[in-house]
Amino acid sequence: MRSKNPEGFAALLDAAFVEIEANAVYDKAAAVKGVGDFDFTKFELSEWKSAKLDNDAALVTYLIKPTDPKLDQERHTSIWANRNGKWLALLHMGTPVAKPKAEMKHDMKM
């Protein structure tokens, strides 16, 4: 994705791929177009975790942290499936990370 290779990205997506983001739901064609319009060099990916659902399916999560501190971090989750020996993404979802609220001070007089 950092190399802006939409064909390479498309090859990793199942034909029925769906992406759910805060602003819209995208099919495979729209997701591939979106990758071409996005500058991934301005984000750091970390906190990778995976869970095997069975021998042919897995859930992957990670944190996206923008280099611009004014932008929100996001948690991303993908479901991957082994299709005839090739792992393809079926579903991807991005969720903004809520900023911590200021702690409320309580006056506890008894």
Side-chain angles (χ1 to χ4, degrees), residues 9 13-21 24-31 77-79 89-94:
F9 177 66
L13 307 180
D14 189 81
F17 175 81
V18 175
E19 179 177 356
I20 303 167
E21 297 293 342
V25 176
Y26 303 96
D27 64 5
K28 178 178 178 175
T77 302
S78 298
I79 295 178
L90 298 175
L91 175 74
H92 181 82
M93 184 179 342

Coordinates of all heavy atoms in Angstrom, one line a residue, residues 9 13-21 24-31 77-79 89-94:
F9 N -2.5 -4.6 -4.3 CA -3.5 -4.5 -3.2 C -4.8 -5.3 -3.6 O -5.3 -6.1 -2.8 CB -3.9 -3.1 -2.9 CG -4.9 -2.9 -1.8 CD1 -4.7 -3.3 -0.5 CD2 -6.2 -2.4 -2.1 CE1 -5.7 -3.2 0.5 CE2 -7.1 -2.2 -1.2 CZ -6.9 -2.6 0.1
L13 N -7.5 -9.0 -2.1 CA -8.9 -8.9 -1.7 C -9.7 -10.0 -2.4 O -9.6 -10.2 -3.6 CB -9.4 -7.5 -2.0 CG -8.6 -6.3 -1.5 CD1 -9.3 -5.0 -1.9 CD2 -8.4 -6.4 0.0
D14 N -10.6 -10.6 -1.7 CA -11.6 -11.5 -2.2 C -12.6 -10.7 -3.2 O -12.8 -9.5 -3.0 CB -12.4 -12.2 -1.1 CG -13.3 -13.3 -1.6 OD1 -12.8 -14.4 -1.8 OD2 -14.5 -13.0 -1.8
A15 N -13.1 -11.4 -4.2 CA -14.1 -10.7 -5.1 C -15.3 -10.1 -4.3 O -15.8 -9.1 -4.7 CB -14.6 -11.7 -6.1
A16 N -15.7 -10.7 -3.2 CA -16.8 -10.2 -2.4 C -16.4 -9.3 -1.2 O -17.1 -9.1 -0.3 CB -17.6 -11.4 -1.9
F17 N -15.1 -8.8 -1.3 CA -14.6 -8.0 -0.2 C -15.5 -6.8 0.1 O -16.1 -6.2 -0.8 CB -13.2 -7.4 -0.6 CG -12.6 -6.5 0.3 CD1 -11.9 -6.9 1.4 CD2 -12.7 -5.1 0.1 CE1 -11.4 -6.0 2.4 CE2 -12.1 -4.2 1.0 CZ -11.5 -4.7 2.1
V18 N -15.6 -6.5 1.4 CA -16.4 -5.3 1.9 C -15.5 -4.6 2.9 O -14.8 -5.2 3.8 CB -17.7 -5.8 2.6 CG1 -18.4 -4.6 3.2 CG2 -18.6 -6.5 1.6
E19 N -15.5 -3.3 2.8 CA -14.8 -2.4 3.8 C -15.8 -1.5 4.4 O -16.5 -0.8 3.8 CB -13.7 -1.6 3.1 CG -12.9 -0.7 4.0 CD -11.8 0.1 3.4 OE1 -11.6 -0.1 2.2 OE2 -11.2 1.0 4.0
I20 N -15.7 -1.5 5.8 CA -16.7 -0.6 6.5 C -15.8 0.4 7.3 O -14.9 0.1 8.0 CB -17.4 -1.5 7.6 CG1 -18.2 -2.6 6.9 CG2 -18.4 -0.6 8.4 CD1 -18.7 -3.6 7.8
E21 N -16.1 1.7 7.0 CA -15.4 2.8 7.6 C -16.4 3.7 8.2 O -17.6 3.5 8.0 CB -14.5 3.6 6.6 CG -13.4 2.7 6.0 CD -12.3 2.3 6.9 OE1 -12.2 2.9 8.0 OE2 -11.6 1.4 6.6
A24 N -18.5 5.4 5.3 CA -19.1 4.7 4.3 C -18.8 3.2 4.3 O -17.9 2.8 5.0 CB -18.8 5.3 2.9
V25 N -19.5 2.5 3.4 CA -19.2 1.0 3.2 C -18.7 1.0 1.7 O -19.3 1.5 0.8 CB -20.4 0.2 3.4 CG1 -20.1 -1.3 3.1 CG2 -20.9 0.3 4.9
Y26 N -17.6 0.2 1.5 CA -17.0 0.2 0.2 C -17.0 -1.3 -0.3 O -16.7 -2.2 0.5 CB -15.6 0.7 0.2 CG -15.5 2.1 0.7 CD1 -15.2 2.4 2.0 CD2 -15.7 3.2 -0.2 CE1 -15.1 3.7 2.5 CE2 -15.6 4.5 0.3 CZ -15.3 4.7 1.6 OH -15.2 6.0 2.1
D27 N -17.1 -1.5 -1.6 CA -16.9 -2.8 -2.2 C -15.4 -2.8 -2.6 O -14.6 -1.9 -2.4 CB -17.8 -3.0 -3.4 CG -17.6 -2.1 -4.6 OD1 -16.7 -1.2 -4.6 OD2 -18.4 -2.2 -5.5
K28 N -15.0 -3.9 -3.3 CA -13.6 -4.1 -3.6 C -13.1 -3.0 -4.5 O -12.0 -2.4 -4.3 CB -13.4 -5.5 -4.3 CG -12.0 -5.7 -4.7 CD -11.8 -7.1 -5.4 CE -10.4 -7.3 -5.8 NZ -10.2 -8.7 -6.3
A29 N -13.8 -2.7 -5.6 CA -13.4 -1.6 -6.5 C -13.2 -0.3 -5.8 O -12.2 0.4 -6.1 CB -14.4 -1.5 -7.7
A30 N -14.1 0.1 -4.9 CA -14.0 1.4 -4.2 C -12.8 1.4 -3.2 O -12.1 2.4 -3.1 CB -15.3 1.7 -3.5
A31 N -12.6 0.2 -2.6 CA -11.5 0.1 -1.6 C -10.1 0.2 -2.4 O -9.2 0.9 -1.9 CB -11.5 -1.2 -0.9
T77 N -9.5 -3.8 11.7 CA -9.7 -5.2 11.8 C -10.0 -5.8 10.4 O -10.8 -5.2 9.7 CB -10.9 -5.5 12.8 OG1 -10.7 -4.9 14.0 CG2 -11.1 -7.0 12.9
S78 N -9.4 -6.9 10.1 CA -9.7 -7.6 8.9 C -9.9 -9.1 9.1 O -9.3 -9.7 10.0 CB -8.5 -7.5 7.9 OG -8.2 -6.1 7.6
I79 N -10.8 -9.7 8.3 CA -11.0 -11.1 8.3 C -10.4 -11.6 7.0 O -10.7 -11.1 5.9 CB -12.5 -11.5 8.4 CG1 -13.0 -11.0 9.8 CG2 -12.7 -13.0 8.3 CD1 -14.5 -11.3 10.0
A89 N -8.3 -11.1 1.9 CA -9.2 -10.3 2.8 C -10.6 -10.4 2.4 O -10.9 -10.1 1.2 CB -8.7 -8.9 2.9
L90 N -11.5 -10.7 3.3 CA -13.0 -10.7 3.0 C -13.6 -9.5 3.5 O -14.6 -9.0 2.9 CB -13.6 -11.9 3.7 CG -13.2 -13.3 3.3 CD1 -13.8 -14.4 4.1 CD2 -13.5 -13.5 1.8
L91 N -13.2 -9.0 4.7 CA -13.9 -7.9 5.4 C -12.8 -7.0 6.1 O -11.9 -7.6 6.7 CB -14.8 -8.4 6.4 CG -15.5 -7.4 7.3 CD1 -16.6 -6.6 6.5 CD2 -16.1 -8.0 8.5
H92 N -13.0 -5.7 6.0 CA -12.1 -4.8 6.7 C -12.9 -3.7 7.3 O -13.9 -3.2 6.7 CB -11.0 -4.2 5.8 CG -10.1 -3.3 6.4 ND1 -9.0 -3.8 7.1 CD2 -10.1 -2.0 6.6 CE1 -8.4 -2.7 7.6 NE2 -9.0 -1.6 7.4
M93 N -12.6 -3.4 8.6 CA -13.3 -2.3 9.3 C -12.3 -1.4 10.0 O -11.4 -1.9 10.7 CB -14.2 -2.9 10.3 CG -15.1 -1.9 11.0 SD -16.3 -2.5 12.2 CE -16.5 -4.2 11.9
G94 N -12.5 -0.1 9.9 CA -11.7 0.9 10.6 C -12.6 1.6 11.6 O -13.7 2.0 11.2

